[in-house]
């Protein structure tokens, strides 16, 4: 897989038979729909692309997630949802015998997944659990975190569903499971094992379940969705409707770089030009151009240049510079806003 952006002369929906789609920041934000999400995913399905929604949110059961998506105009079956709770339960199976006690800190989704994996769910460190499974839920509070810390201090294995520090909501960015896990880690000094993205565990589980030929990861976060794509050997599409921005793309470390960039989920139905290297260090993407000189990013654009092409050219120039040992000055990289269609 290329270390940089790749092109596709055919729409992505015709190139990949399965899309592994993140939820928060991609299909919806909190309980609000994201523009073009429903129409784009419905059109992708109509053209033969299968969908599996892969989320680091471990608080809800797949049926609840499917109901929400369906209510937003994205018809979804529970079998088309893969959660970090399910991945955490799979991770527990690698070390714990069936019937072991697991202290669950989280919501119904994690409780159900752990029980279905054959474990006894407990809620107190006094129950002497063999492991602590921790996932996000809005109702998680100090007492649950304290019980987790007590159990881990006594030797319980700490498994986190995911380590997202923040989550996008309709009101803004809020603390995610990683922030709550960090509190337990600070109290115990124990580094947890994580089942969720950026580990590619869920992606591989989803591909195996679907029997896909070639899968495309679709996400809004570089540090989870796109890092998971890179680590799992999948192509990754970054849509600019959630946490990570176009500027973040330009400054992305190698292990978090997307292969494609789109304004929103309409990118599934579009072709994607590939930036080309030119003379004097310039990289071009149709009419847009960019280069790095003495560590500073320089941009060029024609009068009809697509905003996304500017982002693509800037990424190609910055990544090529970094890969050749040149440090790019972050202050030289503008916000690179992409106009909504």
């Amino acid at each position: 897989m290329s270390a940089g952006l790749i092109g596709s002369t055919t729409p992505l929906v015709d190139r990949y038979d399965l899309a592994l789609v993140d939820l928060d920041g991609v299909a919806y934000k909190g309980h609000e729909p994201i523009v073009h999400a429903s129409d784009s995913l419905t059109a992708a399905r109509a053209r033969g692309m299968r969908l599996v929604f892969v989320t680091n949110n471990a608080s809800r059961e797949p049926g609840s997630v499917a109901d929400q998506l369906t209510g937003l105009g994205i018809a979804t079956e529970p079998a088309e949802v893969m959660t970090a709770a399910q991945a955490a339960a799979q991770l527990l199976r690698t070390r714990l015998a069936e019937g072991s006690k697991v202290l669950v800190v989280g919501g119904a989704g994690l409780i159900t997944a752990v029980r279905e994996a054959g474990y006894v769910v407990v809620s107190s460190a006094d129950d002497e659990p063999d492991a602590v499974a921790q996932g996000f839920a809005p109702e998680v509070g100090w007492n649950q975190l304290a019980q987790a810390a007590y159990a881990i201090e006594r030797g319980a294995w700490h498994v986190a569903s995911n380590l997202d520090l923040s989550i996008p909501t309709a009101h803004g960015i809020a603390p995610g499971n990683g922030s709550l896990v960090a509190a337990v880690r600070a109290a115990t000094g124990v580094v947890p094992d994580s089942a969720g993205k950026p580990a590619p565990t869920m992606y591989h589980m989803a591909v195996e379940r679907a029997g896909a030929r070639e899968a495309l990861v679709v996400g809004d976060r570089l540090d989870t969705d796109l890092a998971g794509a890179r680590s799992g050997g999948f192509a990754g599409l970054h849509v600019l409707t959630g946490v990570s921005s176009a500027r973040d793309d330009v400054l992305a470390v190698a292990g978090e770089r997307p292969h494609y960039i789109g304004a929103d989920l309409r990118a599934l139905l579009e072709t994607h030009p590939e930036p080309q290297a030119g003379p004097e260090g310039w990289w071009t993407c149709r009419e847009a151009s960019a280069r790095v000189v003495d560590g500073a990013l320089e941009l060029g654009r024609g009068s009809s240049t697509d905003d996304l092409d500017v982002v693509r050219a800037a990424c190609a120039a910055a990544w090529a510079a970094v890969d050749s040992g040149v440090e790019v000055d972050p202050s030289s990289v503008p916000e690179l806003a992409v106009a909504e269609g």
Side-chain angles (χ1 to χ4, degrees):
M1 188 70 68
S2 169
L5 292 174
I6 59 179
S8 182
T9 57
T10 60
L12 300 183
V13 68
D14 298 326
R15 180 167 180 173
Y16 301 93
D17 63 329
L18 175 66
L20 304 174
V21 185
D22 183 53
L23 291 177
D24 283 322
V26 178
Y28 54 68
K29 186 172 291 186
H31 293 287
E32 300 297 323
I34 285 180
V35 64
H36 304 301
S38 174
D39 291 346
S40 299
L41 292 174
T42 299
R45 270 208 182 107
R47 290 173 59 168
M49 176 178 268
R50 289 174 292 167
L51 307 176
V52 175
F53 295 94
V54 183
T55 175
N56 265 359
N57 189 331
S59 65
R60 295 189 296 160
E61 300 179 55
S64 174
V65 175
D67 288 344
Q68 180 180 359
L69 287 167
T70 301
L72 294 174
I74 307 167
T76 306
E77 297 295 328
E80 296 175 304
V81 177
M82 179 72 66
T83 73
Q86 294 169 303
Q90 290 293 328
L91 181 56
L92 289 171
R93 284 176 170 169
T94 65
R95 279 176 49 178
L96 294 189
E98 186 173 342
S100 299
K101 295 178 182 178
V102 178
L103 193 162
V104 174
V105 177
L110 187 56
I111 293 171
T112 297
V114 170
R115 281 181 175 151
E116 289 181 348
Y119 300 112
V120 177
V121 172
V122 300
S123 58
S124 171
D126 293 337
D127 293 318
E128 300 182 350
D130 301 288
V132 172
Q134 183 175 356
F136 176 79
E139 63 270 21
V140 170
W142 182 89
N143 184 60
Q144 293 97 322
L145 298 180
Q147 292 299 322
Y150 302 151
I152 293 164
E153 288 173 334
R154 298 170 191 173
W157 178 28
H158 191 189
V159 172
S161 64
N162 68 290
L163 298 174
D164 291 13
L165 292 175
S166 62
I167 55 173
T169 74
H171 300 287
I173 302 300
N177 192 54
S179 297
L180 301 178
V181 169
V184 176
R185 177 179 174 179
T188 64
V190 175
V191 178
D193 290 317
S194 176
K197 298 175 281 187
T201 306
M202 289 191 291
Y203 293 152
H204 289 301
M205 289 171 61
V207 169
E208 182 178 357
R209 176 191 290 183
R213 170 183 52 81
E214 191 170 10
L216 173 70
V217 171
V218 185
D220 71 302
R221 295 182 66 120
L222 299 184
D223 59 345
T224 54
D225 307 319
L226 281 307
R230 285 282 178 185
S231 65
F234 300 103
L237 165 64
H238 179 213
V239 291
L240 302 172
T241 50
V243 173
S244 298
S245 67
R247 183 175 184 273
D248 293 330
D249 282 331
V250 178
L251 296 172
V253 298
E256 297 179 1
R257 295 171 182 169
H259 298 90
Y260 305 103
I261 301 171
D264 49 58
L265 284 173
R266 289 176 297 176
L268 291 173
L269 311 173
E270 299 169 346
T271 60
H272 291 254
E274 183 174 3
Q276 301 295 321
E280 300 181 357
W282 286 101
W283 283 81
T284 61
C285 187
R286 293 187 288 210
E287 293 186 30
S289 58
R291 67 177 179 177
V292 174
V293 178
D294 296 329
L297 179 69
E298 298 181 356
L299 300 176
R301 63 174 75 207
S303 59
S304 60
T305 299
D306 186 295
D307 291 337
L308 278 173
D309 287 344
V310 176
V311 176
R312 293 172 177 129
C315 285
W319 298 353
V322 169
D323 290 348
S324 67
V326 176
E327 184 176 348
V328 176
D329 181 1
S331 68
S332 72
V333 182
E335 285 302 323
L336 297 169
V338 175
E340 294 184 5

